[in-house]
Amino acid sequence: QKEVEQNSGPLSVPEGAIASLNCTYSDRGSQSFFWYRQYSGKSPELIMFIYSNGDKEDGRFTAQLNKASQYVSLLIRDSQPSDSATYLCAVKGFNKFYFGSGTKLNVKP
Amino acid sequence: GAVVSQHPSWVICKSGTSVKIECRSLDFQATTMFWYRQFPKQSLMLMATSNEGSKATYEQGVEKDKFLINHASLTLSTLTVTSAHPEDSSFYICSALQGGNTEAFFGQGTRLTVV
């Protein structure tokens, strides 16, 4: 069983819409949860992290965590074409980061 | 955020040779560094975790004698791909974790092509 699972997509949304990206994880002992954005051929860049149940907002991005369901999501409001990328969910356990396979997001003008 | 510098950004080498990739934390001390490999259209695969001054911990299926990791200082970790073969061609990425912090910062990645 994979540590972190994501739908590979692609997820297509029109410009200005809300994009919803989901992730589940298997290790209940996981401490922190991260969303990274990766453009083709580039290294991942951190969008935000969350470690408490509930929502965390940063600009157009909102991360949601439900530890009971082992589920973390990322909402992108007012999606822009520049948001088109692969979004990686990462989970930190004991001093290790595990990544999901990523969800490819296409924002259509 | 903190800066992690990875060098070289790309390298082409002949089959059978060795290649060294450096990962430096420029403005913080990295107690832990992670090495990942990413094949096209796939996710990052954790290869190993290295802590300064101790031996690296390799993930299952990663050959420690082929992928030599050295973390001799709090700002530098190196990955050496020994006796490289074409199937080792990939995007190698390091990330560094500052002690006590939650998030890890990524280097720019190294694209290795073995011909």
Side-chain angles (χ1 to χ4, degrees):
Chain A
Q1 182 184 5
K2 290 185 180 178
E3 300 273 349
V4 183
E5 300 251 18
Q6 290 182 260
N7 187 320
S8 61
L11 173 66
S12 293
V13 299
E15 184 175 356
I18 296 175
S20 178
L21 304 162
N22 305 314
C23 171
T24 58
Y25 59 95
S26 60
D27 184 1
R28 285 193 173 274
S30 300
Q31 303 163 353
S32 309
F33 308 86
F34 303 80
W35 283 100
Y36 287 85
R37 176 171 61 194
Q38 186 177 26
Y39 294 107
S40 180
K42 300 295 184 181
S43 192
E45 53 181 350
L46 180 68
I47 298 173
M48 61 190 307
F49 65 89
I50 185 170
Y51 49 82
S52 299
N53 274 326
D55 295 358
K56 180 180 178 182
E57 186 175 319
D58 184 0
R60 295 187 296 114
F61 300 96
T62 299
Q64 299 174 317
L65 175 62
N66 184 326
K67 290 186 178 180
S69 300
Q70 296 174 243
Y71 176 91
V72 59
S73 66
L74 178 70
L75 300 177
I76 306 175
R77 290 181 298 281
D78 188 23
S79 296
Q80 301 296 310
S82 57
D83 294 327
S84 297
T86 297
Y87 288 79
L88 302 171
C89 171
V91 173
K92 183 180 180 214
F94 179 69
N95 217 32
K96 286 188 179 183
F97 284 80
Y98 291 102
F99 284 81
S101 56
T103 298
K104 186 174 176 59
L105 172 66
N106 291 326
V107 181
K108 298 181 178 180
Chain B
V3 178
V4 176
S5 177
Q6 190 172 337
H7 178 80
S9 56
W10 61 270
V11 58
I12 302 173
C13 71
K14 291 184 177 180
S15 185
T17 61
S18 295
V19 173
K20 180 184 284 189
I21 302 170
E22 293 186 349
C23 180
R24 294 181 183 273
S25 56
L26 298 186
D27 52 1
F28 67 99
Q29 293 184 327
T31 53
T32 304
M33 286 190 175
F34 306 93
W35 287 96
Y36 296 88
R37 179 169 54 182
Q38 186 177 38
F39 292 107
K41 298 184 179 181
Q42 294 187 24
S43 187
L44 281 71
M45 185 195 80
L46 179 64
M47 299 175 67
T49 303
S50 74
N51 294 293
E52 185 266 338
S54 61
K55 290 183 179 180
T57 302
Y58 290 81
E59 295 298 301
Q60 190 174 6
V62 178
E63 300 174 60
K64 61 181 180 181
D65 294 330
K66 180 171 181 62
F67 299 99
L68 301 178
I69 292 172
N70 185 289
H71 193 166
S73 78
L74 284 171
T75 59
L76 174 64
S77 176
T78 61
L79 167 67
T80 301
V81 183
T82 63
S83 187
H85 289 98
E87 57 264 33
D88 297 325
S89 298
S90 186
F91 192 47
Y92 291 85
I93 309 173
C94 71
S95 70
L97 181 68
Q98 186 177 13
N101 278 12
T102 299
E103 60 183 292
F105 299 94
F106 281 88
Q108 305 95 316
T110 298
R111 185 158 303 282
L112 170 64
T113 302
V114 184
V115 298

Short mmCIF file of all heavy atoms in Angstrom, two decimals, chain A residues 20-81:
data_model
loop_
_atom_site.label_atom_id
_atom_site.label_comp_id
_atom_site.label_asym_id
_atom_site.label_seq_id
_atom_site.Cartn_x
_atom_site.Cartn_y
_atom_site.Cartn_z
N SER A 20 -10.08 21.71 -6.66
CA SER A 20 -10.03 20.93 -5.42
C SER A 20 -9.16 19.71 -5.63
O SER A 20 -9.44 18.87 -6.48
CB SER A 20 -11.45 20.50 -5.01
OG SER A 20 -11.40 19.70 -3.85
N LEU A 21 -8.10 19.62 -4.84
CA LEU A 21 -7.14 18.53 -4.96
C LEU A 21 -7.17 17.72 -3.67
O LEU A 21 -7.19 18.29 -2.57
CB LEU A 21 -5.74 19.10 -5.20
CG LEU A 21 -5.64 20.02 -6.42
CD1 LEU A 21 -4.39 20.88 -6.34
CD2 LEU A 21 -5.63 19.20 -7.69
N ASN A 22 -7.15 16.41 -3.80
CA ASN A 22 -7.32 15.54 -2.64
C ASN A 22 -6.16 14.58 -2.45
O ASN A 22 -5.48 14.20 -3.41
CB ASN A 22 -8.62 14.74 -2.79
CG ASN A 22 -9.81 15.65 -3.01
OD1 ASN A 22 -9.98 16.64 -2.33
ND2 ASN A 22 -10.63 15.31 -4.00
N CYS A 23 -6.01 14.14 -1.23
CA CYS A 23 -4.88 13.27 -0.88
C CYS A 23 -5.28 12.44 0.34
O CYS A 23 -5.90 12.97 1.28
CB CYS A 23 -3.68 14.16 -0.58
SG CYS A 23 -2.24 13.33 0.12
N THR A 24 -4.96 11.16 0.33
CA THR A 24 -5.14 10.33 1.52
C THR A 24 -3.80 9.72 1.90
O THR A 24 -2.92 9.56 1.05
CB THR A 24 -6.16 9.21 1.28
OG1 THR A 24 -5.72 8.40 0.19
CG2 THR A 24 -7.54 9.77 0.98
N TYR A 25 -3.64 9.40 3.17
CA TYR A 25 -2.39 8.83 3.64
C TYR A 25 -2.66 7.65 4.55
O TYR A 25 -3.74 7.53 5.12
CB TYR A 25 -1.54 9.90 4.35
CG TYR A 25 -2.21 10.53 5.55
CD1 TYR A 25 -1.97 10.05 6.83
CD2 TYR A 25 -3.08 11.60 5.40
CE1 TYR A 25 -2.59 10.62 7.94
CE2 TYR A 25 -3.70 12.17 6.49
CZ TYR A 25 -3.45 11.69 7.76
OH TYR A 25 -4.07 12.25 8.85
N SER A 26 -1.67 6.79 4.68
CA SER A 26 -1.91 5.54 5.39
C SER A 26 -1.41 5.53 6.83
O SER A 26 -1.93 4.78 7.66
CB SER A 26 -1.26 4.38 4.62
OG SER A 26 0.13 4.58 4.51
N ASP A 27 -0.40 6.33 7.13
CA ASP A 27 0.22 6.29 8.45
C ASP A 27 -0.48 7.26 9.41
O ASP A 27 -0.35 8.47 9.29
CB ASP A 27 1.70 6.63 8.34
CG ASP A 27 2.43 6.50 9.67
OD1 ASP A 27 1.80 6.14 10.69
OD2 ASP A 27 3.64 6.77 9.69
N ARG A 28 -1.16 6.70 10.40
CA ARG A 28 -1.89 7.54 11.36
C ARG A 28 -0.94 8.36 12.23
O ARG A 28 -1.36 9.33 12.85
CB ARG A 28 -2.77 6.68 12.26
CG ARG A 28 -4.02 6.17 11.57
CD ARG A 28 -5.02 5.59 12.58
NE ARG A 28 -6.28 5.25 11.91
CZ ARG A 28 -7.26 6.14 11.73
NH1 ARG A 28 -7.14 7.37 12.17
NH2 ARG A 28 -8.38 5.76 11.13
N GLY A 29 0.31 7.96 12.27
CA GLY A 29 1.28 8.69 13.07
C GLY A 29 1.86 9.90 12.36
O GLY A 29 2.71 10.60 12.92
N SER A 30 1.43 10.16 11.15
CA SER A 30 1.96 11.29 10.39
C SER A 30 1.68 12.59 11.13
O SER A 30 0.61 12.77 11.73
CB SER A 30 1.32 11.33 9.00
OG SER A 30 1.60 10.14 8.29
N GLN A 31 2.66 13.46 11.06
CA GLN A 31 2.61 14.66 11.90
C GLN A 31 2.24 15.92 11.12
O GLN A 31 1.53 16.79 11.62
CB GLN A 31 3.97 14.87 12.56
CG GLN A 31 4.44 13.70 13.39
CD GLN A 31 5.93 13.76 13.69
OE1 GLN A 31 6.64 14.60 13.18
NE2 GLN A 31 6.39 12.85 14.53
N SER A 32 2.79 16.04 9.91
CA SER A 32 2.61 17.29 9.16
C SER A 32 2.32 16.94 7.71
O SER A 32 2.73 15.90 7.21
CB SER A 32 3.88 18.15 9.23
OG SER A 32 4.31 18.30 10.55
N PHE A 33 1.63 17.86 7.07
CA PHE A 33 1.15 17.59 5.72
C PHE A 33 1.43 18.80 4.84
O PHE A 33 1.22 19.94 5.27
CB PHE A 33 -0.35 17.27 5.78
CG PHE A 33 -0.66 16.20 6.79
CD1 PHE A 33 -0.86 16.53 8.12
CD2 PHE A 33 -0.69 14.87 6.41
CE1 PHE A 33 -1.09 15.55 9.07
CE2 PHE A 33 -0.93 13.88 7.36
CZ PHE A 33 -1.12 14.22 8.69
N PHE A 34 1.87 18.54 3.64
CA PHE A 34 2.38 19.61 2.79
C PHE A 34 1.78 19.50 1.39
O PHE A 34 1.50 18.41 0.89
CB PHE A 34 3.92 19.48 2.66
CG PHE A 34 4.64 19.50 3.98
CD1 PHE A 34 4.70 18.36 4.76
CD2 PHE A 34 5.25 20.65 4.42
CE1 PHE A 34 5.36 18.37 5.98
CE2 PHE A 34 5.92 20.67 5.63
CZ PHE A 34 5.97 19.54 6.41
N TRP A 35 1.65 20.66 0.80
CA TRP A 35 1.31 20.72 -0.61
C TRP A 35 2.42 21.45 -1.36
O TRP A 35 2.82 22.55 -0.98
CB TRP A 35 -0.03 21.44 -0.83
CG TRP A 35 -1.21 20.58 -0.51
CD1 TRP A 35 -1.95 20.60 0.64
CD2 TRP A 35 -1.78 19.56 -1.33
NE1 TRP A 35 -2.95 19.66 0.58
CE2 TRP A 35 -2.87 19.01 -0.63
CE3 TRP A 35 -1.48 19.06 -2.60
CZ2 TRP A 35 -3.67 17.98 -1.15
CZ3 TRP A 35 -2.27 18.04 -3.12
CH2 TRP A 35 -3.35 17.51 -2.40
N TYR A 36 2.91 20.78 -2.41
CA TYR A 36 3.94 21.35 -3.26
C TYR A 36 3.39 21.47 -4.67
O TYR A 36 2.55 20.69 -5.11
CB TYR A 36 5.18 20.45 -3.30
CG TYR A 36 6.01 20.45 -2.03
CD1 TYR A 36 5.69 19.61 -0.97
CD2 TYR A 36 7.11 21.29 -1.91
CE1 TYR A 36 6.47 19.60 0.19
CE2 TYR A 36 7.89 21.28 -0.76
CZ TYR A 36 7.56 20.44 0.27
OH TYR A 36 8.32 20.44 1.41
N ARG A 37 3.92 22.43 -5.38
CA ARG A 37 3.60 22.59 -6.79
C ARG A 37 4.87 22.32 -7.59
O ARG A 37 5.95 22.80 -7.23
CB ARG A 37 3.10 24.01 -7.06
CG ARG A 37 2.82 24.32 -8.52
CD ARG A 37 2.13 25.67 -8.64
NE ARG A 37 2.95 26.74 -8.12
CZ ARG A 37 2.49 27.97 -7.84
NH1 ARG A 37 1.22 28.26 -8.04
NH2 ARG A 37 3.30 28.90 -7.39
N GLN A 38 4.73 21.57 -8.65
CA GLN A 38 5.90 21.25 -9.47
C GLN A 38 5.58 21.50 -10.93
O GLN A 38 4.66 20.89 -11.48
CB GLN A 38 6.35 19.80 -9.26
CG GLN A 38 7.65 19.47 -9.98
CD GLN A 38 8.13 18.05 -9.73
OE1 GLN A 38 7.34 17.16 -9.44
NE2 GLN A 38 9.44 17.84 -9.81
N TYR A 39 6.36 22.39 -11.53
CA TYR A 39 6.27 22.60 -12.96
C TYR A 39 7.19 21.59 -13.65
O TYR A 39 8.17 21.13 -13.06
CB TYR A 39 6.66 24.03 -13.32
CG TYR A 39 5.70 25.07 -12.79
CD1 TYR A 39 6.04 25.89 -11.72
CD2 TYR A 39 4.44 25.23 -13.36
CE1 TYR A 39 5.16 26.84 -11.23
CE2 TYR A 39 3.55 26.18 -12.87
CZ TYR A 39 3.91 26.98 -11.82
OH TYR A 39 3.03 27.91 -11.34
N SER A 40 6.87 21.28 -14.87
CA SER A 40 7.61 20.26 -15.61
C SER A 40 9.10 20.57 -15.66
O SER A 40 9.50 21.68 -16.03
CB SER A 40 7.04 20.15 -17.03
OG SER A 40 7.74 19.17 -17.76
N GLY A 41 9.90 19.61 -15.25
CA GLY A 41 11.35 19.78 -15.30
C GLY A 41 11.94 20.60 -14.17
O GLY A 41 13.15 20.85 -14.15
N LYS A 42 11.09 21.01 -13.23
CA LYS A 42 11.56 21.83 -12.12
C LYS A 42 11.41 21.09 -10.81
O LYS A 42 10.70 20.09 -10.71
CB LYS A 42 10.76 23.15 -12.07
CG LYS A 42 10.87 23.99 -13.32
CD LYS A 42 12.27 24.49 -13.54
CE LYS A 42 12.34 25.42 -14.74
NZ LYS A 42 13.73 25.92 -14.97
N SER A 43 12.05 21.62 -9.80
CA SER A 43 11.96 21.06 -8.47
C SER A 43 10.65 21.51 -7.82
O SER A 43 10.12 22.57 -8.16
CB SER A 43 13.17 21.54 -7.66
OG SER A 43 13.28 20.83 -6.46
N PRO A 44 10.10 20.76 -6.89
CA PRO A 44 8.87 21.17 -6.22
C PRO A 44 9.06 22.45 -5.40
O PRO A 44 10.13 22.68 -4.84
CB PRO A 44 8.54 19.99 -5.29
CG PRO A 44 9.29 18.84 -5.86
CD PRO A 44 10.53 19.42 -6.45
N GLU A 45 8.03 23.25 -5.33
CA GLU A 45 8.06 24.44 -4.48
C GLU A 45 6.89 24.36 -3.50
O GLU A 45 5.79 23.96 -3.86
CB GLU A 45 7.98 25.72 -5.31
CG GLU A 45 6.83 25.78 -6.28
CD GLU A 45 6.82 27.05 -7.11
OE1 GLU A 45 7.59 27.98 -6.80
OE2 GLU A 45 6.04 27.11 -8.06
N LEU A 46 7.17 24.71 -2.27
CA LEU A 46 6.18 24.59 -1.21
C LEU A 46 5.08 25.63 -1.37
O LEU A 46 5.35 26.81 -1.56
CB LEU A 46 6.85 24.76 0.15
CG LEU A 46 5.94 24.65 1.37
CD1 LEU A 46 5.43 23.22 1.53
CD2 LEU A 46 6.68 25.09 2.64
N ILE A 47 3.84 25.16 -1.29
CA ILE A 47 2.69 26.08 -1.28
C ILE A 47 2.30 26.37 0.16
O ILE A 47 2.20 27.53 0.55
CB ILE A 47 1.50 25.46 -2.04
CG1 ILE A 47 1.86 25.22 -3.50
CG2 ILE A 47 0.27 26.36 -1.92
CD1 ILE A 47 0.78 24.47 -4.26
N MET A 48 2.07 25.33 0.92
CA MET A 48 1.71 25.52 2.32
C MET A 48 1.76 24.18 3.04
O MET A 48 1.79 23.12 2.42
CB MET A 48 0.33 26.16 2.47
CG MET A 48 -0.82 25.38 1.91
SD MET A 48 -2.36 26.36 1.88
CE MET A 48 -2.49 26.95 3.57
N PHE A 49 1.76 24.26 4.36
CA PHE A 49 1.70 23.05 5.15
C PHE A 49 0.65 23.21 6.25
O PHE A 49 0.26 24.33 6.60
CB PHE A 49 3.05 22.67 5.75
CG PHE A 49 3.59 23.65 6.75
CD1 PHE A 49 3.28 23.54 8.11
CD2 PHE A 49 4.43 24.67 6.36
CE1 PHE A 49 3.79 24.42 9.03
CE2 PHE A 49 4.95 25.56 7.29
CZ PHE A 49 4.62 25.44 8.62
N ILE A 50 0.20 22.10 6.77
CA ILE A 50 -0.82 22.10 7.81
C ILE A 50 -0.54 20.93 8.74
O ILE A 50 -0.09 19.86 8.29
CB ILE A 50 -2.24 22.01 7.18
CG1 ILE A 50 -3.33 22.14 8.23
CG2 ILE A 50 -2.41 20.72 6.37
CD1 ILE A 50 -4.74 22.32 7.63
N TYR A 51 -0.80 21.12 10.03
CA TYR A 51 -0.59 20.01 10.96
C TYR A 51 -1.71 19.88 11.98
O TYR A 51 -1.71 18.96 12.79
CB TYR A 51 0.76 20.11 11.68
CG TYR A 51 1.06 21.45 12.27
CD1 TYR A 51 0.55 21.83 13.50
CD2 TYR A 51 1.88 22.35 11.59
CE1 TYR A 51 0.85 23.07 14.03
CE2 TYR A 51 2.18 23.59 12.12
CZ TYR A 51 1.66 23.94 13.34
OH TYR A 51 1.94 25.17 13.88
N SER A 52 -2.68 20.79 11.94
CA SER A 52 -3.83 20.68 12.84
C SER A 52 -5.08 20.43 12.04
O SER A 52 -5.22 20.93 10.91
CB SER A 52 -3.99 21.97 13.65
OG SER A 52 -2.86 22.21 14.44
N ASN A 53 -6.01 19.69 12.62
CA ASN A 53 -7.28 19.46 11.95
C ASN A 53 -7.97 20.78 11.63
O ASN A 53 -7.90 21.74 12.40
CB ASN A 53 -8.21 18.62 12.83
CG ASN A 53 -7.97 17.14 12.68
OD1 ASN A 53 -7.64 16.65 11.60
ND2 ASN A 53 -8.14 16.40 13.76
N GLY A 54 -8.65 20.81 10.49
CA GLY A 54 -9.37 22.01 10.12
C GLY A 54 -8.80 22.62 8.86
O GLY A 54 -8.19 21.95 8.04
N ASP A 55 -9.06 23.92 8.71
CA ASP A 55 -8.65 24.63 7.52
C ASP A 55 -7.51 25.59 7.83
O ASP A 55 -7.43 26.16 8.91
CB ASP A 55 -9.83 25.43 6.95
CG ASP A 55 -10.95 24.54 6.47
OD1 ASP A 55 -10.81 23.30 6.54
OD2 ASP A 55 -11.98 25.08 6.01
N LYS A 56 -6.69 25.80 6.81
CA LYS A 56 -5.64 26.82 6.90
C LYS A 56 -5.62 27.56 5.58
O LYS A 56 -5.51 26.94 4.53
CB LYS A 56 -4.28 26.17 7.17
CG LYS A 56 -3.14 27.16 7.27
CD LYS A 56 -1.82 26.46 7.53
CE LYS A 56 -0.67 27.46 7.59
NZ LYS A 56 0.63 26.76 7.80
N GLU A 57 -5.75 28.87 5.65
CA GLU A 57 -5.86 29.67 4.43
C GLU A 57 -4.61 30.52 4.23
O GLU A 57 -4.05 31.06 5.17
CB GLU A 57 -7.10 30.56 4.52
CG GLU A 57 -7.41 31.33 3.26
CD GLU A 57 -8.73 32.10 3.36
OE1 GLU A 57 -9.69 31.55 3.91
OE2 GLU A 57 -8.76 33.27 2.92
N ASP A 58 -4.20 30.62 2.97
CA ASP A 58 -3.08 31.48 2.62
C ASP A 58 -3.35 32.02 1.22
O ASP A 58 -3.13 31.33 0.22
CB ASP A 58 -1.76 30.69 2.66
CG ASP A 58 -0.55 31.57 2.39
OD1 ASP A 58 -0.72 32.79 2.17
OD2 ASP A 58 0.58 31.05 2.40
N GLY A 59 -3.86 33.24 1.18
CA GLY A 59 -4.18 33.83 -0.12
C GLY A 59 -5.28 33.05 -0.81
O GLY A 59 -6.35 32.83 -0.24
N ARG A 60 -5.02 32.63 -2.03
CA ARG A 60 -6.02 31.88 -2.78
C ARG A 60 -6.05 30.40 -2.42
O ARG A 60 -6.88 29.65 -2.93
CB ARG A 60 -5.75 32.03 -4.28
CG ARG A 60 -5.90 33.43 -4.83
CD ARG A 60 -5.78 33.46 -6.35
NE ARG A 60 -4.46 33.06 -6.82
CZ ARG A 60 -4.23 31.96 -7.53
NH1 ARG A 60 -5.22 31.14 -7.85
NH2 ARG A 60 -3.00 31.67 -7.94
N PHE A 61 -5.15 29.98 -1.56
CA PHE A 61 -5.03 28.57 -1.22
C PHE A 61 -5.59 28.27 0.17
O PHE A 61 -5.40 29.04 1.10
CB PHE A 61 -3.55 28.14 -1.25
CG PHE A 61 -2.89 28.32 -2.58
CD1 PHE A 61 -2.15 29.46 -2.85
CD2 PHE A 61 -3.02 27.37 -3.57
CE1 PHE A 61 -1.53 29.64 -4.08
CE2 PHE A 61 -2.40 27.53 -4.82
CZ PHE A 61 -1.66 28.68 -5.06
N THR A 62 -6.30 27.16 0.27
CA THR A 62 -6.79 26.67 1.56
C THR A 62 -6.47 25.19 1.67
O THR A 62 -6.86 24.40 0.80
CB THR A 62 -8.31 26.87 1.71
OG1 THR A 62 -8.62 28.26 1.65
CG2 THR A 62 -8.79 26.32 3.05
N ALA A 63 -5.76 24.83 2.71
CA ALA A 63 -5.48 23.43 2.98
C ALA A 63 -6.47 22.96 4.05
O ALA A 63 -6.81 23.70 4.97
CB ALA A 63 -4.05 23.24 3.47
N GLN A 64 -6.95 21.74 3.89
CA GLN A 64 -7.89 21.16 4.84
C GLN A 64 -7.35 19.82 5.30
O GLN A 64 -6.90 19.01 4.48
CB GLN A 64 -9.26 20.97 4.17
CG GLN A 64 -9.89 22.27 3.68
CD GLN A 64 -11.18 22.03 2.90
OE1 GLN A 64 -11.25 21.12 2.07
NE2 GLN A 64 -12.18 22.84 3.15
N LEU A 65 -7.41 19.59 6.60
CA LEU A 65 -6.89 18.35 7.17
C LEU A 65 -7.93 17.68 8.03
O LEU A 65 -8.56 18.33 8.88
CB LEU A 65 -5.63 18.62 8.00
CG LEU A 65 -5.04 17.44 8.77
CD1 LEU A 65 -4.60 16.33 7.82
CD2 LEU A 65 -3.87 17.90 9.63
N ASN A 66 -8.11 16.39 7.83
CA ASN A 66 -9.00 15.57 8.65
C ASN A 66 -8.22 14.32 9.04
O ASN A 66 -8.11 13.37 8.28
CB ASN A 66 -10.27 15.20 7.88
CG ASN A 66 -11.26 14.43 8.73
OD1 ASN A 66 -10.87 13.64 9.60
ND2 ASN A 66 -12.54 14.67 8.51
N LYS A 67 -7.65 14.35 10.23
CA LYS A 67 -6.80 13.24 10.66
C LYS A 67 -7.60 11.96 10.90
O LYS A 67 -7.10 10.87 10.68
CB LYS A 67 -6.02 13.61 11.91
CG LYS A 67 -4.93 14.65 11.67
CD LYS A 67 -4.10 14.86 12.92
CE LYS A 67 -2.98 15.85 12.66
NZ LYS A 67 -2.14 16.07 13.87
N ALA A 68 -8.82 12.09 11.34
CA ALA A 68 -9.66 10.90 11.58
C ALA A 68 -9.88 10.13 10.27
O ALA A 68 -9.87 8.90 10.26
CB ALA A 68 -10.98 11.29 12.22
N SER A 69 -10.07 10.86 9.21
CA SER A 69 -10.29 10.24 7.89
C SER A 69 -8.99 10.08 7.12
O SER A 69 -9.00 9.52 6.01
CB SER A 69 -11.26 11.09 7.07
OG SER A 69 -12.51 11.19 7.73
N GLN A 70 -7.89 10.56 7.66
CA GLN A 70 -6.58 10.49 7.01
C GLN A 70 -6.65 11.11 5.62
O GLN A 70 -6.27 10.48 4.62
CB GLN A 70 -6.08 9.04 6.99
CG GLN A 70 -5.84 8.51 8.39
CD GLN A 70 -5.47 7.04 8.41
OE1 GLN A 70 -6.18 6.21 8.96
NE2 GLN A 70 -4.35 6.72 7.83
N TYR A 71 -7.10 12.32 5.62
CA TYR A 71 -7.44 13.00 4.37
C TYR A 71 -6.96 14.44 4.46
O TYR A 71 -7.16 15.12 5.46
CB TYR A 71 -8.96 12.94 4.22
CG TYR A 71 -9.54 13.65 3.04
CD1 TYR A 71 -9.74 12.99 1.83
CD2 TYR A 71 -9.95 14.97 3.16
CE1 TYR A 71 -10.32 13.64 0.76
CE2 TYR A 71 -10.53 15.63 2.09
CZ TYR A 71 -10.72 14.96 0.90
OH TYR A 71 -11.29 15.60 -0.16
N VAL A 72 -6.32 14.88 3.38
CA VAL A 72 -5.91 16.28 3.31
C VAL A 72 -6.21 16.79 1.91
O VAL A 72 -6.10 16.05 0.94
CB VAL A 72 -4.41 16.42 3.67
CG1 VAL A 72 -3.53 15.62 2.75
CG2 VAL A 72 -3.98 17.87 3.68
N SER A 73 -6.66 18.02 1.82
CA SER A 73 -7.02 18.57 0.52
C SER A 73 -6.46 19.97 0.36
O SER A 73 -6.06 20.62 1.33
CB SER A 73 -8.54 18.59 0.35
OG SER A 73 -9.13 19.48 1.28
N LEU A 74 -6.46 20.42 -0.88
CA LEU A 74 -6.02 21.77 -1.21
C LEU A 74 -7.06 22.40 -2.14
O LEU A 74 -7.41 21.80 -3.17
CB LEU A 74 -4.66 21.76 -1.90
CG LEU A 74 -4.12 23.12 -2.33
CD1 LEU A 74 -3.73 23.95 -1.09
CD2 LEU A 74 -2.92 22.98 -3.26
N LEU A 75 -7.56 23.55 -1.76
CA LEU A 75 -8.47 24.30 -2.60
C LEU A 75 -7.74 25.51 -3.16
O LEU A 75 -7.06 26.22 -2.43
CB LEU A 75 -9.70 24.77 -1.79
CG LEU A 75 -10.55 23.68 -1.15
CD1 LEU A 75 -11.68 24.32 -0.33
CD2 LEU A 75 -11.13 22.75 -2.19
N ILE A 76 -7.91 25.72 -4.45
CA ILE A 76 -7.33 26.89 -5.10
C ILE A 76 -8.49 27.72 -5.64
O ILE A 76 -9.22 27.29 -6.54
CB ILE A 76 -6.39 26.50 -6.26
CG1 ILE A 76 -5.32 25.51 -5.78
CG2 ILE A 76 -5.73 27.74 -6.85
CD1 ILE A 76 -4.42 24.98 -6.90
N ARG A 77 -8.67 28.88 -5.06
CA ARG A 77 -9.74 29.77 -5.51
C ARG A 77 -9.26 30.64 -6.66
O ARG A 77 -8.06 30.92 -6.79
CB ARG A 77 -10.21 30.66 -4.35
CG ARG A 77 -10.97 29.94 -3.27
CD ARG A 77 -11.40 30.90 -2.17
NE ARG A 77 -10.25 31.52 -1.52
CZ ARG A 77 -9.53 30.92 -0.60
NH1 ARG A 77 -9.82 29.70 -0.21
NH2 ARG A 77 -8.50 31.55 -0.06
N ASP A 78 -10.23 31.08 -7.48
CA ASP A 78 -9.90 31.96 -8.60
C ASP A 78 -8.70 31.41 -9.38
O ASP A 78 -7.68 32.08 -9.56
CB ASP A 78 -9.59 33.38 -8.08
CG ASP A 78 -9.44 34.40 -9.19
OD1 ASP A 78 -9.99 34.15 -10.29
OD2 ASP A 78 -8.76 35.41 -8.97
N SER A 79 -8.82 30.19 -9.82
CA SER A 79 -7.72 29.51 -10.51
C SER A 79 -7.25 30.30 -11.73
O SER A 79 -8.07 30.86 -12.47
CB SER A 79 -8.16 28.11 -10.96
OG SER A 79 -8.45 27.30 -9.86
N GLN A 80 -5.94 30.32 -11.91
CA GLN A 80 -5.34 31.04 -13.02
C GLN A 80 -4.59 30.05 -13.92
O GLN A 80 -4.12 29.01 -13.45
CB GLN A 80 -4.35 32.08 -12.50
CG GLN A 80 -4.99 33.11 -11.57
CD GLN A 80 -6.02 33.94 -12.29
OE1 GLN A 80 -5.76 34.49 -13.36
NE2 GLN A 80 -7.22 34.02 -11.71
N PRO A 81 -4.43 30.38 -15.19
CA PRO A 81 -3.65 29.48 -16.07
C PRO A 81 -2.26 29.19 -15.52
O PRO A 81 -1.72 28.09 -15.73
CB PRO A 81 -3.60 30.25 -17.38
CG PRO A 81 -4.87 31.04 -17.39
CD PRO A 81 -5.07 31.47 -15.95
#
